[in-house]
Amino acid sequence: MTEIAKKPIKITETILRDAHQSLIATRMSTEQMLPIIEKLDNVGYHSLECWGGATFDASLRFLKEDPWDRLRKIRERAKKTKLQMLFRGQNILGYRPYGDDVVEYFVQKSIANGIDIIRIFDCLNDLRNLQTAVKASNKEGGHAQVALSYTLGDAYTLEYWTSMAKQIEEMGADSICIKDMAGLLLPYKATELVTALKETVKIPIQLHTHYTSGVASMTYLKAVEAGVDVIDCAMSPFALGTSQPATEVMVETFKGTPYDTGYDQKLLAEIADYFRPMRDEALETGLLNPKNLGVNIKTLLYQVPGGMLSNLTSQLKEQHAEDKFYDVLEEVPRVRKDLGECPLVTPSSQIVGTQAVFNVIMGERYKMVTKETKDVLSGKYGKTVKPFNPEVQKKCIGDGEIITCRPADLIGNELPKLEAEMEKYKQQDEDVLSYALFPQVATDFFKYREAQQTKMDANVADTENGAYPV
């Protein structure tokens, strides 16, 4: 048997972002994170995913924290490891497309405050919605990683993925991530996909998945053997279920093989000991639902990501229609097909899920149509891989105008107007970006921040530098 050359697998640690976003609704506070950063920094990770995704919204809305302040504090303590964030292309961290000036400024400020790697994705895999963020990241000296939202369907062939990868490389991306948000990538399919991508592009390939369907660890094993460069894992207390495979398990799996990470299990055990009480407390308070920890094979049947499953459950509960759960699950793939067979990831997953709920509850499909569904069918989110169902499009938007250009081409510069609207609350440059993404939530936070500062001695609150206590 020929000996395989040494190729230690690199790991991105998700405990500070996706792991707690997937399991405890993004409720881990900065205060809980900071004491363990130095140990995490000593592991030798490829990167620490610690920002972006839903952390920005949750920090402001539920934790009354400034997300920019969190990033700066983590950066202060993580001196060796690259910091990574998740970025929704033209939607940034919000739920609508923003003007190019806002996207560019957000990238600039993210990198200035400590981000090294920006993972950029689009919910429709419309590469036009990624260009501005990639260019801005290149300009600022950041690492632009473009994520392909992995999904299944007639259109999503091996040729589709390799053609996309080639275009991403030509766009100027530094690496590619296969973003398998619903845990749909099966082990042997991973071998096939990674092998094809490695033959197509020269830039590194990273794989991100969720344990929801129960196959993720096996998928990682096959992907690593096929030559993937980096995998996303979570420390064991916040691993599995709707989160990622456990870091320690993957480290042990590859020990003594050509893929040996060389990470210290003793150090990893100390880190796990730190997070375990948080997990136990989350279970006791009900923040961590044990249901989110099991294997949900419906994911493979209905292609519904874990976070979307819990959203559907709560929407049906509000409508006193929990008995309609399976009807809604069966409606989701139909709505998805009507909307051009888009991948199901924020915000398309919420749009398709909510519309499926309405279709079932109203007893007639598309009798009630959300604004977001109309926006998708009007092309406001971009181009889907397959055409929309023309009958559904006609029923929902009539003879309304259809956008065929890049949606952001129709949005002018937004920063001057935003700056004017929130001027009285501004304490740091970044505040305008918080306001741009979540106007109401950010305004509430700014008022809270002011109230906290007036309670303090003026000498302590260094408002001039925006270094305010949270």
Side-chain angles (χ1 to χ4, degrees):
M1 195 175 142
T2 55
E3 196 156 309
I4 307 170
K6 277 201 167 138
K7 191 198 172 186
I9 185 64
K10 296 171 182 172
I11 293 178
T12 288
E13 175 57 63
T14 68
I15 186 87
L16 302 178
R17 205 286 296 177
D18 202 9
H20 74 105
Q21 179 175 318
S22 297
L23 291 177
I24 57 166
T26 332
R27 292 300 199 278
M28 198 183 288
S29 68
T30 304
E31 197 182 321
Q32 287 176 304
M33 295 175 185
L34 294 180
I36 199 67
I37 301 292
E38 279 158 28
K39 281 187 179 173
L40 285 165
D41 194 31
N42 286 327
V43 172
Y45 287 119
H46 168 70
S47 63
L48 279 173
E49 193 200 34
C50 63
W51 213 59
T55 60
F56 202 93
D57 186 2
S59 296
L60 292 167
R61 191 187 299 262
F62 303 113
L63 302 171
K64 293 287 177 270
E65 291 184 359
D66 177 28
W68 298 99
D69 195 43
R70 171 183 295 186
L71 176 54
R72 291 190 284 264
K73 284 175 173 167
I74 293 173
R75 178 76 286 171
E76 231 171 71
R77 288 161 176 78
K79 300 188 190 307
K80 297 179 276 199
T81 313
K82 288 184 171 168
L83 298 184
Q84 184 168 323
M85 75 172 290
L86 183 67
F87 194 100
R88 298 181 192 133
Q90 211 68 29
N91 298 340
I92 312 179
L93 305 177
Y95 304 102
R96 70 164 176 94
Y98 293 87
D100 287 336
D101 63 333
V102 182
V103 175
E104 286 161 4
Y105 195 41
F106 202 100
V107 169
Q108 184 196 327
K109 283 297 181 187
S110 300
I111 292 170
N113 280 282
I115 288 295
D116 300 290
I117 301 169
I118 302 187
R119 178 179 291 171
I120 309 157
F121 78 97
D122 177 65
C123 71
L124 303 182
N125 283 335
D126 183 344
L127 298 183
R128 300 173 306 170
N129 291 336
L130 305 173
Q131 286 163 341
T132 303
V134 170
K135 274 185 194 156
S137 186
N138 291 342
K139 185 185 166 201
E140 298 299 325
H143 176 114
Q145 179 178 86
V146 169
L148 283 166
S149 300
Y150 182 78
T151 189
L152 304 173
D154 303 341
Y156 300 99
T157 60
L158 213 49
E159 289 71 33
Y160 169 84
W161 298 118
T162 52
S163 153
M164 291 286 277
K166 196 78 206 136
Q167 290 173 66
I168 287 166
E169 188 176 45
E170 285 161 6
M171 189 192 279
D174 298 294
S175 63
I176 291 172
C177 174
I178 304 161
K179 180 177 166 58
D180 178 22
M181 54 280 171
L184 299 174
L185 183 61
L186 300 170
Y188 288 100
K189 285 290 178 192
T191 303
E192 206 178 82
L193 180 58
V194 172
T195 304
L197 292 176
K198 293 299 282 183
E199 285 167 1
T200 307
V201 296
K202 292 185 172 65
I203 54 178
I205 307 290
Q206 183 156 356
L207 177 55
H208 169 92
T209 189
H210 290 252
Y211 210 88
T212 324
S213 61
V215 300
S217 295
M218 294 182 281
T219 297
Y220 275 175
L221 180 62
K222 299 308 284 180
V224 169
E225 289 174 352
V228 88
D229 299 282
V230 194
I231 53 175
D232 284 12
C233 301
M235 285 303 302
S236 57
F238 284 94
L240 310 184
T242 48
S243 177
Q244 280 75 47
T247 305
E248 306 96 307
V249 175
M250 297 317 296
V251 166
E252 200 60 24
T253 299
F254 296 116
K255 201 174 175 182
T257 75
Y259 314 109
D260 195 332
T261 61
Y263 297 173
D264 177 358
Q265 282 284 22
K266 190 170 167 294
L267 177 58
L268 292 174
E270 288 171 19
I271 296 167
D273 287 345
Y274 176 81
F275 284 108
R276 202 165 290 109
M278 285 183 212
R279 170 202 164 103
D280 294 344
E281 190 190 340
L283 277 166
E284 279 167 29
T285 58
L287 188 56
L288 175 51
N289 185 335
K291 278 183 188 169
N292 292 346
L293 295 170
V295 166
N296 197 327
I297 201 63
K298 288 195 220 67
T299 300
L300 291 177
L301 301 176
Y302 301 108
Q303 300 177 34
V304 177
M308 188 176 166
L309 278 172
S310 48
N311 266 357
L312 292 178
T313 317
S314 63
Q315 281 181 338
L316 288 170
K317 201 173 182 178
E318 277 170 29
Q319 305 287 335
H320 306 292
E322 286 149 289
D323 57 321
K324 299 274 195 268
F325 184 64
Y326 288 99
D327 296 338
V328 170
L329 275 187
E330 283 169 21
E331 177 63 4
V332 164
R334 291 195 284 264
V335 173
R336 178 179 173 241
K337 212 172 171 82
D338 292 337
L339 302 191
E341 211 165 33
C342 54
L344 295 178
V345 64
T346 306
S348 58
S349 50
Q350 287 89 331
I351 297 168
V352 169
T354 304
Q355 191 57 55
V357 169
F358 281 138
N359 286 3
V360 169
I361 288 174
M362 300 305 291
E364 182 193 321
R365 303 187 77 228
Y366 304 103
K367 184 178 181 179
M368 185 187 243
V369 185
T370 67
K371 177 190 177 293
E372 289 75 17
T373 297
K374 288 178 183 174
D375 286 350
V376 169
L377 292 166
S378 308
K380 283 185 186 171
Y381 282 89
K383 191 178 186 324
T384 50
V385 65
K386 282 195 145 181
F388 302 126
N389 177 333
E391 288 165 28
V392 169
Q393 194 177 28
K394 182 85 177 156
K395 183 171 181 178
C396 297
I397 60 169
D399 297 320
E401 193 193 344
I402 310 290
I403 296 164
T404 53
C405 64
R406 182 184 73 115
D409 288 342
L410 302 174
I411 306 169
N413 282 347
E414 297 189 87
L415 279 172
K417 179 176 176 284
L418 292 163
E419 287 272 12
E421 284 173 14
M422 55 75 62
E423 186 55 44
K424 66 174 180 176
Y425 297 114
K426 188 174 172 179
Q427 294 189 7
Q428 56 176 350
D429 289 345
E430 291 81 359
D431 284 345
V432 71
L433 292 165
S434 304
Y435 177 81
L437 298 192
F438 305 105
Q440 191 52 56
V441 173
T443 302
D444 292 345
F445 169 73
F446 297 150
K447 288 175 181 170
Y448 168 83
R449 180 174 73 185
E450 267 178 18
Q452 294 301 102
Q453 284 164 355
T454 52
K455 285 181 202 166
M456 297 171 50
D457 185 310
N459 299 322
V460 182
D462 179 7
T463 48
E464 197 180 317
N465 298 312
Y468 44 82
V470 174

